[in-house]
Amino acid sequence: MATISFDNVTKRYGAKTAVDRASFEIRDNEFFCFFGPPLSGKSTILKLILGLETPDEGEIRIDGRLINHVSPAERNVAMVFQNLALFPHMTAGENVRFPLVERKVAPEKIAGRVAAVAEKLHITHLLHKLPAHLSGGERQRVAIARALVRDPVAYLMDDPISALDARLREETRVELKRIQQELGHTLVYVTHDQEEAMSVADRMAILENGVIRQIDAPLSIYDKPASSYVAGLLGSPAMNMLEIESANGPAAASGALRLDPARVPNGAVGIGIRPEDLKVGAGESGQVRVFEVEPLGGHTVVTLDSGAVKMRALMRGQPAIRPDSLVSLACDPARMHFFDRAGRALSHSEFR
Ligand code: ADP
Ligand code: MG
């Protein structure tokens, strides 16, 4: 169990800065996610934690101890294999023992360690089985047991379930979250899937091109994204981004949303509205044309043609809205996000 911290850590590959002055502190027992698009530096951060890469600048600490030049073995951080893969020709028990056998741990110690970890993960009754005879969830527990058998201070996973099909991914992430809560171990998790990050993380760091843009609990970031970049990464459908027509101070937003200029912060050039915050009204006053309707059963996505941009609204259930009809739009100003020219979020406090 451990805290892991970066203080202004930079890692370059030639001219490419893979990780750019990253600072964070992962707490003890935390399920911490790094989330960002491909090539944003996620795997490099894990390699820096593991000790497979050395930073060019900055300080890496585990439990407060500077470990920039400490070997991977001495750091005692465990990597869980991609797809939580097990050796198919070995029983679950042999899989779990493997890291200890490989490290030439004394046989009399191995049995005790395996038994303890197996009990912790509720897989004692599965140890004699081959992976092919285990369910997906059982295999995960075995894979995690194999990582934990060394008694690492933290364990890391790099996009562990991205190769699974969608339904299995959903089941797997629930299971992972559950296991992490039971174990209470520090888990550092990388994903490029926003829904996965949102669903499992206690806190997450959002990366853009090697730079950490925001660190917080998923819902805090969702509700208060620090920038239009972060806002656009979280949520499906994505946040609607509108330009405020006049760049100089308060003005009306493009399209049919009426904005009280007094409620627009100074310097705002863009407005973000989550699809679930966009209220669609069918009625005579409607001025916005419905472009397309996607009925998804439990909810419906309505795409609106509001002149310059298409906006999307997420509605509950199956509203009676037809393509090409005219509707009205509304949004509670308190639910709007305002961004300046640089994409930085502006505080609502100016008008609250
Ligand atoms: P992610 O895991 O988010 O996809 P990576 O950490 O793998 O991103 O990569 C971040 C950046 O660093 C990318 O531009 C990638 O091309 C570069 N990079 C990563 N590893 C190496 C390496 N061994 N040699 C050169 N460039 C690398
Ligand atoms: Mg990667």
Side-chain angles (χ1 to χ4, degrees):
M1 265 153 267
T3 62
I4 299 169
S5 68
F6 276 32
D7 186 11
N8 269 302
V9 170
T10 294
K11 174 67 193 173
R12 297 185 198 92
Y13 294 107
K16 174 77 202 172
T17 303
V19 176
D20 195 355
R21 284 163 290 170
S23 294
F24 56 81
E25 178 155 355
I26 299 171
R27 298 169 187 153
D28 196 17
N29 296 350
E30 191 166 39
F31 198 140
F32 193 92
C33 254
F34 287 95
F35 165 64
L39 305 182
S40 57
K42 305 181 296 295
S43 295
T44 304
I45 287 179
L46 287 197
K47 287 178 196 156
L48 288 162
I49 295 173
L50 275 168
L52 300 179
E53 296 286 5
T54 310
D56 294 303
E57 287 160 31
E59 296 182 339
I60 301 180
R61 289 190 156 76
I62 293 182
D63 279 337
R65 173 188 173 213
L66 186 66
I67 53 148
N68 281 30
H69 299 288
V70 171
S71 73
E74 242 191 296
R75 293 184 191 195
N76 196 20
V77 177
M79 185 80 177
V80 181
F81 293 160
Q82 186 93 18
N83 300 329
L84 307 163
L86 299 172
F87 300 118
H89 58 285
M90 293 185 187
T91 63
E94 286 162 351
N95 267 283
V96 175
R97 294 159 57 93
F98 182 77
L100 301 180
V101 174
E102 196 183 37
R103 272 155 201 262
K104 303 195 167 52
V105 173
E108 62 274 16
K109 283 196 183 148
I110 291 181
R113 229 9 247 150
V114 169
V117 168
E119 188 172 343
K120 214 169 172 184
L121 280 151
H122 315 299
I123 56 166
T124 306
H125 61 295
L126 305 173
L127 291 179
H128 64 284
K129 292 192 180 183
L130 286 169
H133 299 140
L134 301 175
S135 72
E138 289 169 346
R139 256 178 261 159
Q140 261 182 299
R141 286 182 176 263
V142 174
I144 291 169
R146 184 177 57 189
L148 292 186
V149 76
R150 281 165 45 192
D151 202 17
V153 295
Y155 57 120
L156 315 184
M157 299 188 186
D158 192 347
D159 234 341
I161 60 177
S162 59
L164 306 180
D165 73 53
R167 190 164 304 276
L168 197 51
R169 254 198 336 263
E170 277 174 26
E171 285 172 20
T172 304
R173 72 182 192 216
V174 170
E175 189 86 20
L176 272 179
K177 182 169 179 163
R178 179 77 211 163
I179 293 171
Q180 197 273 342
Q181 283 166 350
E182 285 171 17
L183 291 173
H185 245 70
T186 306
L187 170 57
V188 187
Y189 190 96
V190 158
T191 177
H192 64 279
D193 180 322
Q194 57 106 1
E195 198 180 283
E196 194 174 305
M198 295 277 299
S199 72
V200 297
D202 292 322
R203 288 190 309 148
M204 64 204 251
I206 301 201
L207 281 157
E208 178 185 16
N209 215 356
V211 179
I212 294 179
R213 293 298 183 195
Q214 194 166 1
I215 303 179
D216 211 333
L219 290 180
S220 303
I221 299 181
Y222 187 85
D223 288 337
K224 280 193 183 338
S227 64
S228 54
Y229 170 80
V230 169
L233 281 186
L234 299 184
S236 178
M239 184 185 281
N240 296 293
M241 296 290 184
L242 314 173
E243 280 178 18
I244 298 182
E245 269 159 8
S246 160
N248 269 334
S254 68
L257 278 173
R258 300 260 168 273
L259 257 192
D260 177 356
R263 310 206 75 178
V264 178
N266 284 331
V269 299
I271 303 178
I273 300 175
R274 295 243 177 244
E276 65 269 30
D277 292 329
L278 198 53
K279 302 299 170 210
V280 178
E284 300 83 69
S285 60
Q287 294 170 18
V288 182
R289 190 164 297 281
V290 175
F291 180 72
E292 201 43 272
V293 177
E294 298 166 83
L296 299 172
H299 60 272
T300 300
V301 178
V302 180
T303 301
L304 305 141
D305 209 342
S306 65
V309 288
K310 291 210 169 50
M311 291 200 263
R312 308 187 89 193
L314 187 64
M315 303 177 73
R316 291 172 66 91
Q318 301 160 5
I321 290 180
R322 285 172 296 104
D324 288 324
S325 62
L326 292 174
V327 294
S328 61
L329 293 184
C331 177
D332 176 355
R335 303 295 305 169
M336 291 181 180
H337 303 263
F338 295 98
F339 302 103
D340 70 9
R341 192 168 291 290
R344 277 185 301 254
L346 296 166
S347 166
H348 282 221
S349 58
E350 292 181 49
F351 56 81
R352 263 188 190 153

